[in-house]
Amino acid sequence: MVIFSSFVFALRKKRLCFNMNTGLKHWKEAATLILAAGHKLGADSFSTAHRFDYNVLLLKRSPKSGFMPNAYVFPGGMADSSDFSSEWLDIFKAFTNSHNFGLRNVQQPPETRPPIFATDRLKLGSPIPGEVAFRICALRETFEESGVLLFVSKDEEMSLLESLKDRRTTDEVKHYKVNELCSSELSRWRTLVNQNPSNFITMCKELEVLPNIWALHEWANWLTPVGRYGVTRFDTAFFICCLDQTPHTLQDHKEIERFQWSTPSDVLRSYQARELWIAPPQFYELGRMCRFPALSGLQSFARRRSADGCEQWLPVVILQEDSYISVLPGDQLYPSNSSEATTTETTMGQDGSETALHRFLISDPYSTRLQINITPKYNHLLPLVGPFDSGTNL
């Protein structure tokens, strides 16, 4: 019995390392989902500053959390070995002959792709491409933390497959269903998935559904800088998904203390009023969304742009006397070898001689400003730097 238990433990230990990128020195791989959902505008909505016809989901992390306690974040979390499990081949069986299970091809050259997407997962022992696995991770974590489940039923599988075959690069794929299963059944499965991420696979098998990976569009890739939010650092794939209506949402009473659906500008105003705290990546991405007061504009842009890929961003902190600067790729002060860069001190002058600016100016946790004059790569857009009382379509 002892020998058998030791054998099982060894297998479990091996499974925990299986498919995960053990070559990463500083980070754990993760995925997050920017979930935007439409809402009805009042009759006077366009005569006021509140012109957004959609909200974005934010979750407040528990004060006991080891990573970003009390922060408002997009749903998401660390990848699990089950996200790369070969069992997904059975669930996505109809799509396994299509490149990346029918996801759109990315035009970005492989040598410039962020490692989280470019890493050959077959060499790590998984037949599940990273672009699929991290979408599964984002959908699983969103279900765990908010109760929102985006899925495609088996009955609609073949029609989806045909639409993928006929799809042009700019065509939309129908999002199908959100939370349209029995609420008690979903609640039971949510508890089980929170207990063990591998139960997400079991749930999909038993309910005969597929995680709707096709509804998620590649958006960004952020790496946690050293010493900012705790010991653990993450290499996080950011996806975005636009829904016509706001789905039923519940916090998980575990890592998440509460949730809220708000317009991007409302979140940024609340942050600047010190009513809630968001980290720089959320500040930056919400600023990008402020360019689009209409959900249709955001959805069209995200769908079109996602085929261009994205850039890996590791913020590098530069300390000053009473504040700090967090520089991003493209900034004049960004180090050439950012993978080893951590935190540096500088006596940088204030004469504005730097020609390329891509940085956060942070005097305290609630006082963040952006300075940007670079041209974004991969047809992305720059955030609206303020004021946050209105949106501007590009």
Side-chain angles (χ1 to χ4, degrees):
M1 184 67 178
V2 173
I3 295 176
F4 177 75
S5 299
S6 300
F7 177 69
V8 170
F9 176 77
L11 283 179
R12 287 178 176 173
K13 185 176 181 181
K14 182 178 180 181
R15 186 181 68 82
L16 289 173
C17 298
F18 184 62
N19 308 326
M20 309 305 286
N21 192 350
T22 55
L24 292 175
K25 293 181 180 179
H26 307 296
W27 295 276
K28 296 182 182 297
E29 293 178 317
T32 195
L33 180 59
I34 303 172
L35 192 60
H39 64 76
K40 294 182 179 180
L41 291 169
D44 62 343
S45 293
F46 281 91
S47 64
T48 70
H50 301 274
R51 298 190 294 122
F52 288 83
D53 67 356
Y54 68 90
N55 292 321
V56 61
L57 176 62
L58 286 176
L59 309 173
K60 184 182 181 184
R61 296 185 64 82
S62 165
K64 298 179 181 179
S65 174
F67 184 77
M68 290 189 184
N70 294 310
Y72 280 76
V73 298
F74 305 125
M78 189 169 65
D80 185 77
S81 60
S82 63
D83 300 325
F84 294 86
S85 171
S86 59
E87 291 184 63
W88 287 112
L89 294 177
D90 292 332
I91 295 171
F92 288 97
K93 186 176 181 179
F95 301 87
T96 53
N97 289 330
S98 302
H99 177 70
N100 281 347
F101 295 12
L103 294 172
R104 290 171 58 197
N105 292 327
V106 177
Q107 308 300 320
Q108 185 178 6
E111 60 271 17
T112 64
R113 287 288 278 158
I116 196 168
F117 296 122
T119 298
D120 186 349
R121 301 293 162 170
L122 276 174
K123 293 183 177 179
L124 299 179
S126 172
I128 310 301
E131 296 190 37
V132 173
F134 288 109
R135 281 173 170 81
I136 292 172
C137 173
L139 292 167
R140 174 181 55 76
E141 286 285 343
T142 298
F143 179 55
E144 289 181 26
E145 295 181 335
S146 70
V148 176
L149 178 64
L150 284 75
F151 69 93
V152 177
S153 70
K154 281 287 185 179
D155 293 339
E156 295 158 323
E157 183 179 279
M158 296 315 297
S159 62
L160 172 60
L161 184 61
E162 289 303 313
S163 69
L164 292 174
K165 289 179 180 177
D166 297 335
R167 183 185 59 188
R168 300 186 301 273
T169 56
T170 57
D171 286 343
E172 178 61 54
V173 173
K174 186 179 178 183
H175 289 170
Y176 293 94
K177 298 179 178 179
V178 182
N179 290 11
E180 291 186 10
L181 299 171
C182 173
S183 60
S184 60
E185 186 79 348
L186 278 181
S187 178
R188 181 177 74 87
W189 278 111
R190 187 181 175 207
T191 299
L192 291 172
V193 174
N194 265 302
Q195 291 172 353
N196 188 335
S198 66
N199 283 328
F200 194 55
I201 301 174
T202 307
M203 180 194 77
C204 290
K205 286 180 178 179
E206 293 198 13
L207 298 182
E208 296 188 325
V209 299
L210 293 79
N212 197 342
I213 60 173
W214 306 276
L216 275 57
H217 303 300
E218 183 178 317
W219 186 259
N221 176 210
W222 288 84
L223 276 71
T224 311
V226 67
R228 292 290 103 188
Y229 313 113
V231 176
T232 306
R233 302 168 67 188
F234 294 97
D235 179 355
T236 306
F238 278 62
F239 301 99
I240 191 168
C241 175
C242 299
L243 303 173
D244 292 336
Q245 297 181 343
T246 303
H248 183 63
T249 316
L250 294 169
Q251 62 258 35
D252 68 353
H253 302 293
K254 182 181 176 184
E255 296 181 12
I256 303 304
E257 191 172 86
R258 66 182 300 266
F259 73 89
Q260 70 178 51
W261 289 93
S262 303
T263 68
S265 60
D266 279 345
V267 177
L268 292 170
R269 279 197 300 272
S270 295
Y271 165 72
Q272 292 179 331
R274 299 173 179 262
E275 296 169 354
L276 56 80
W277 185 76
I278 54 176
Q282 279 73 24
F283 184 90
Y284 195 103
E285 302 304 349
L286 288 166
R288 277 173 161 166
M289 298 176 75
C290 281
R291 297 282 184 180
F292 298 101
L295 182 66
S296 60
L298 175 64
Q299 187 175 23
S300 177
F301 173 80
R303 181 178 68 246
R304 183 180 67 251
R305 196 224 60 81
S306 64
D308 295 306
C310 69
E311 189 176 14
Q312 184 188 69
W313 284 357
L314 168 61
V316 174
V317 175
I318 299 175
L319 301 177
Q320 295 186 304
E321 290 184 1
D322 55 355
S323 62
Y324 67 90
I325 295 172
S326 182
V327 295
L328 296 171
D331 192 279
Q332 179 81 6
L333 297 179
Y334 199 78
S336 57
N337 185 11
S338 61
S339 63
E340 299 300 326
T342 54
T343 303
T344 61
E345 295 187 23
T346 182
T347 56
M348 182 188 71
Q350 301 297 318
D351 59 0
S353 59
E354 294 79 25
T355 55
L357 301 175
H358 193 200
R359 62 183 64 173
F360 296 98
L361 305 180
I362 303 173
S363 56
D364 68 59
Y366 292 90
S367 297
T368 298
R369 291 189 299 118
L370 284 167
Q371 284 188 339
I372 311 175
N373 63 8
I374 65 163
T375 300
K377 293 183 178 181
Y378 307 112
N379 288 316
H380 225 312
L381 74 164
L382 296 177
L384 190 69
V385 296
F388 298 115
D389 57 353
S390 64
T392 303
N393 272 323
L394 293 181

